[in-house]
Amino acid sequence: MLAPLGMSSTVMPVPTANGRGRLAGEFRRRAVQGYNADARPVGEPGNQQGVFNWPGTGQMYSSARDMAVFLAANLGVLPDERPLQEAMALAQQGVFTVSERFTQALAWQLVRNGDITFVDKNGGLSNTSTYIGMIPQKRLGIVILSNCGGEPATRIGRQIMLALARSNALVSDEGRQGD
């Protein structure tokens, strides 16, 4: 998925002998300092945080540009990569209904708020808070990358998208401003 989308700034730390990952030098230099909810530094920039010592269970690192490309691809607005687009659409399909408002998909969660359905995923550890979400029927999405743990990124992202979705300023499918 990363190569077809040109997401060259998205990486997982390489596992070390102790099971913790370590970012390659070029990516570690670009990593930002993470902070906890009390604004105290957590580890060093690029230091992998996580609950488990299993490969692939810690942080992934990505740039804002790469996340924007990933979001656009999930909204179906990038050049034709049919197999990848089909896989992304499949990952957005609900597979387990948790409640009337919440359904778990393969890689996303579907959250209904009246007539609006958010397709989103949040994340974060002690030194990060993240959110990527979209309202596909409005072709609207947002990415929030915060270097501070404990921030309400999901609530903020949904509030912004809900306000935009209900705004008359959105561009329609025909490319004109809404009424």
Side-chain angles (χ1 to χ4, degrees):
M1 173 182 73
L2 299 178
L5 294 177
M7 294 174 60
S8 59
S9 293
T10 299
V11 296
M12 290 185 70
V14 177
T16 60
N18 69 2
R20 296 311 260 175
R22 182 164 175 83
L23 275 180
E26 71 180 275
F27 295 106
R28 194 170 49 252
R29 283 188 293 280
R30 294 172 47 198
V32 298
Q33 177 65 56
Y35 298 89
N36 67 16
D38 295 327
R40 292 198 171 99
V42 176
E44 296 176 16
N47 181 27
Q48 184 182 17
Q49 302 292 310
V51 179
F52 305 108
N53 273 340
W54 305 323
T57 62
Q59 290 162 297
M60 284 186 71
Y61 291 81
S62 190
S63 68
R65 180 215 165 270
D66 276 11
M67 292 305 299
V69 168
F70 181 70
L71 180 61
N74 272 280
L75 285 168
V77 295
L78 288 183
D80 189 34
E81 285 283 343
R82 189 165 179 86
L84 184 56
Q85 288 175 337
E86 289 173 357
M88 288 181 160
L90 177 64
Q92 294 177 30
Q93 298 302 307
V95 293
F96 181 77
T97 300
V98 176
S99 70
E100 182 179 310
R101 292 189 58 229
F102 181 83
T103 301
Q104 184 63 54
L106 293 174
W108 299 90
Q109 53 198 25
L110 310 175
V111 179
R112 281 169 283 296
N113 183 338
D115 61 337
I116 301 286
T117 298
F118 297 101
V119 177
D120 61 12
K121 181 68 179 144
N122 56 4
L125 294 164
S126 61
N127 63 348
T128 62
S129 298
T130 60
Y131 176 77
I132 182 171
M134 58 192 152
I135 302 174
Q137 67 267 32
K138 299 280 188 175
R139 296 187 96 179
L140 175 67
I142 191 169
V143 174
I144 297 175
L145 302 174
S146 170
N147 66 329
C148 185
E151 294 299 315
T154 302
R155 181 174 49 81
I156 292 166
R158 287 180 185 162
Q159 286 176 342
I160 292 169
M161 282 197 301
L162 192 58
L164 289 171
R166 294 188 172 149
S167 166
N168 290 331
L170 289 176
V171 175
S172 70
D173 284 339
E174 291 83 33
R176 299 183 314 249
Q177 287 290 331
D179 297 325

